[in-house]
Amino acid sequence: MKILIKGIESTMSELLGKINKERTALLKKAADELAAKLAVVTPVDTGEAMRGWNTAVIDGKVYINNDVPHIAILNEGHSKQAPAYFVERTLLQNGRAVGTLVKTTPG
């Protein structure tokens, strides 16, 4: 038996679009949750560094960013409010990595 289904390409394309949209939304939600955890553990003086966390999902990649100039210094342990490498420590949850830290850039 052979069955020919016409027009399935457009249906599959539509479904793929919906799946990708949902995937992006889930990635964004996960990124926002991780950024919120980073904000909680960020040392606070004026609150600028804590409020500096933002997220984006671009082409299926998750970006968590903080453009505050002194965030790298805080992450190196220059505040008694948080241990050194609090960012990396936050990426480790329940003893396993949330993801892989690919690249950090100053400021």
Side-chain angles (χ1 to χ4, degrees):
M1 175 195 292
K2 289 184 181 180
I3 298 174
L4 174 62
I5 302 173
K6 292 185 176 184
I8 196 164
E9 295 86 5
S10 63
T11 301
M12 294 303 290
S13 180
E14 183 181 324
L15 286 173
L16 185 58
K18 289 178 181 179
I19 289 169
N20 285 334
K21 189 174 183 178
E22 183 65 22
R23 178 178 181 264
T24 299
L26 290 171
L27 287 172
K28 178 69 168 137
K29 181 180 177 188
D32 289 345
E33 288 173 3
L34 187 52
K37 289 178 182 181
L38 285 167
V40 168
V41 298
T42 301
V44 177
D45 181 16
T46 65
E48 178 185 25
M50 179 187 69
R51 290 187 305 273
W53 295 106
N54 57 71
T55 63
V57 176
I58 302 169
D59 295 330
K61 295 180 183 173
V62 174
Y63 295 88
I64 300 175
N65 188 48
N66 191 323
D67 287 329
V68 174
H70 55 279
I71 192 68
I73 293 169
L74 291 173
N75 192 47
E76 291 170 0
H78 290 273
S79 171
K80 294 179 182 182
Q81 294 180 21
Y85 306 108
F86 66 90
V87 172
E88 292 80 357
R89 290 171 186 244
T90 303
L91 290 176
L92 294 172
Q93 294 179 347
N94 302 320
R96 67 185 243 282
V98 172
T100 302
L101 180 61
V102 176
K103 181 179 178 184
T104 59
T105 56

